Amino acid sequence: MNGTIAIDPLTDIGPALKKCRPQVMPDTDALLRIAYDAAEAGNFAHALQCYERGAALGDAMCLQALGYMYDVGEGVTGDKAMAMALYRKAWKRGSHAAATNIAILYREMGRKRTMFRWYERVARAGDGSAQLEMAKCYLSGSGVRKNVQAALRCLAAANASDYITEYEREEAQAMLMGLKPAILNGS
């Protein structure tokens, strides 16, 4: 050695120089993957830590996933009020799936009209799953007045959407087929 000292610039700098170090933002996508893998392995404590860290950074998916943990009591004591608050924050940050979870919480509370309005919000964003749920509401009169024509429009929108599971698409198609005889008979 020639008398020089090896310094790791990210860990060995003095306190005054630490203020000059650029802030390194964690990759919230990586936090999500780590948390998901931890939850799949049953390590809910680690998943919770990762989701909380991402949520503190304002990541919508972490907020939603954290809300889900509180919603169903996965790794934490179930807390529907906390779940609702987290889902609302996720919605404000652009998570449409969080709005669907909000609608489900309102359905569980028996607040069908509010549930329907949340499905409408998600449907306006092009979500076919929400269109399917709205169709069911129109057909049953849950949270909204019964309206077969409105249900048909929602089912057609659900069927045309890119944002719907294959199972839900099949369900929408089956509902459309089931309504055709009623339409032809003038019901």
Side-chain angles (χ1 to χ4, degrees):
M1 297 193 114
N2 58 7
T4 60
I5 300 172
I7 297 176
D8 178 350
L10 294 179
T11 58
D12 294 336
I13 57 178
L17 294 177
K18 284 184 183 181
K19 293 178 185 175
C20 299
R21 185 171 93 188
Q23 294 296 317
V24 177
M25 293 299 294
D27 179 359
T28 54
D29 288 340
L31 283 171
L32 276 169
R33 283 190 304 276
I34 293 167
Y36 177 78
D37 289 344
E40 284 292 305
N43 187 349
F44 298 116
H46 188 61
L48 180 68
Q49 288 176 337
C50 291
Y51 288 141
E52 285 176 335
R53 186 166 181 203
L57 295 168
D59 182 81
M61 294 302 294
C62 287
L63 284 161
Q64 178 185 326
L66 186 58
Y68 181 79
M69 289 184 82
Y70 281 98
D71 191 358
V72 300
E74 185 175 79
V76 296
T77 301
D79 184 340
K80 298 290 186 176
M82 175 65 85
M84 180 69 84
L86 290 164
Y87 288 152
R88 285 180 175 275
K89 285 181 184 179
W91 164 253
K92 288 177 183 175
R93 295 203 181 334
S95 172
H96 296 196
T100 299
N101 292 347
I102 292 169
I104 292 167
L105 283 177
Y106 278 121
R107 180 176 56 211
E108 291 173 1
M109 288 185 250
R111 296 181 57 189
K112 308 287 182 167
R113 184 82 177 140
T114 306
M115 168 204 68
F116 183 82
R117 293 293 172 226
W118 275 95
Y119 281 133
E120 277 186 317
R121 289 178 182 186
V122 184
R124 281 194 297 268
D127 189 285
S129 300
Q131 291 283 358
L132 176 61
E133 291 302 321
M134 287 175 55
K136 292 175 184 178
C137 291
Y138 278 122
L139 291 172
S140 67
S142 181
V144 68
R145 187 172 291 155
K146 283 186 179 185
N147 185 331
V148 175
Q149 293 302 316
L152 286 169
R153 286 190 297 274
C154 289
L155 290 170
N159 198 35
S161 176
D162 290 334
Y163 303 103
I164 188 169
T165 66
E166 191 58 37
Y167 174 81
E168 289 169 324
R169 186 181 313 282
E170 290 171 6
E171 184 179 7
Q173 290 169 349
M175 289 174 72
L176 276 169
M177 295 302 288
L179 287 174
K180 279 187 179 179
I183 295 166
L184 294 174
N185 294 330
S187 300

